[in-house]
Amino acid sequence: MAEKHNPPHHRHSSTPGLTALGKLDPKESEMILEYFKTQVLLLKDKELLQKTVREEKKLLVENAKLKKDISDLKILLTEKQQKKKAKAAASKLTAPGSTAALYAPGPNPKPGPVRERDGRRRRGERKGRRERTNSESALEEEPRMDVSRLDLRIGRIVGVRYHPLAGALYVQEVDLGEPAPRTVVSALRHIPKEQLQGRLAVLLCNVRPCRVKGVVSTAMVLCGSAPNAHDSDNDDDAQVEFLEPPTNAVPGDRVTFYDYPGEPDRELSPREKVWEQILPDLQTDSRGVATYRGVGFEVRGKGLCRAPTLTNSSIK
């Protein structure tokens, strides 16, 4: 009887896949590697966004608790003030010389020196109350000084021309999701004009409009900046890169910071020097992500803004 020979089994089920990868063109292999790198970056951004949502929920809960505590304290303060007013009114009714005091039984009027001391004490109490009220009002009205006061938005450059009176300046028309584009004057002439047309950028939109060589500029483009290796002392020769928004961002998208949820000013006051005080805390991190005190420039639900190659550098 002839022996049956079973067909040989493959020792490794992945052999066909490995053989196929080995036959790939080098360019195709490089494209696959780039795809996996992109997926890794997307996963990291997704993890950061999830952390952002958790932190934001935690901050909302803490803010609600603080608001309730402040409300309770205000109610308690109002009740105390009402009691003091009622007590002061009762004191006036029974004070010497008042109509109620003429008919109310009581001890003889206090000697002059005692009344004088009481008057000084009451004046001191009124002065102390006024000082406390003024200090509380000053604390409540003191403006915050953080990045939430900046109105940062995504814009698309829809037109670029040379400044007619300044060879080192561009005049750009930028779509910010508003009815009409804004005019922006910037010192970006080292970047070819063709590279600016149609690109997305991060813009500071609540600066006070200013006239630059006869052209009114109504916003400011933010860029990463690093000193040139050959001339670190010359700011005009610095290496500059646009802060690139997420690829799916659109004109008008707000740039937010999950640790700083306040609303931006309608217009930054030059007297307060808000931009000048916040600027030193703006920089790119080790991955090129634009940050304020370590918190990323985020377009909610779409991703982070970053400089293509500049890491651990300033933002201007």
Side-chain angles (χ1 to χ4, degrees), residues 68-265:
K68 185 178 182 304
D69 291 343
I70 292 171
S71 178
D72 292 343
L73 287 172
K74 285 183 178 179
I75 293 171
L76 182 61
L77 180 61
T78 303
E79 290 176 353
K80 287 186 177 181
Q81 289 175 343
Q82 290 174 350
K83 288 179 181 178
K84 287 182 179 180
K85 287 180 181 178
K87 188 176 179 180
S91 299
K92 287 180 181 179
L93 290 173
T94 57
S98 67
T99 305
L102 293 175
Y103 299 98
N108 293 329
K110 295 180 180 180
V114 176
R115 289 199 299 272
E116 188 177 348
R117 287 197 299 270
D118 288 346
R120 286 199 299 267
R121 185 171 64 251
R122 285 195 293 272
R123 286 195 297 272
E125 290 174 355
R126 287 195 296 271
K127 182 179 179 182
R129 284 197 296 272
R130 285 197 300 271
E131 289 176 350
R132 286 195 298 273
T133 302
N134 292 337
S135 63
E136 289 171 359
S137 300
L139 286 173
E140 289 179 359
E141 295 173 0
E142 184 178 354
R144 68 189 186 283
M145 188 59 67
D146 61 55
V147 74
S148 65
R149 297 184 65 177
L150 305 183
D151 182 6
L152 298 175
R153 285 185 257 162
I154 305 303
R156 185 182 300 279
I157 300 172
V158 296
V160 186
R161 66 182 187 273
Y162 300 119
H163 194 295
L165 301 177
L169 300 177
Y170 278 131
V171 178
Q172 302 155 87
E173 300 299 324
V174 184
D175 176 13
L176 286 158
E178 298 171 332
R182 290 201 193 190
T183 300
V184 180
V185 179
S186 59
L188 298 171
R189 285 291 292 271
H190 59 282
I191 299 177
K193 183 179 176 182
E194 295 74 19
Q195 293 183 19
L196 298 179
Q197 184 71 35
R199 76 177 300 160
L200 291 174
V202 179
L203 287 97
L204 176 60
C205 297
N206 58 344
V207 292
R208 180 169 292 182
C210 62
R211 188 175 295 276
V212 183
K213 301 285 187 180
V215 178
V216 177
S217 180
T218 58
M220 186 167 66
V221 179
L222 298 191
C223 297
S225 177
N228 191 300
H230 302 293
D231 191 0
S232 59
D233 295 329
N234 188 356
D235 290 339
D236 294 335
D237 199 29
Q239 183 182 358
V240 177
E241 290 183 348
F242 271 81
L243 295 183
E244 294 187 348
T247 54
N248 54 346
V250 296
D253 280 349
R254 281 279 311 279
V255 176
T256 58
F257 303 80
Y258 69 84
D259 276 354
Y260 303 92
E263 288 298 316
D265 293 7

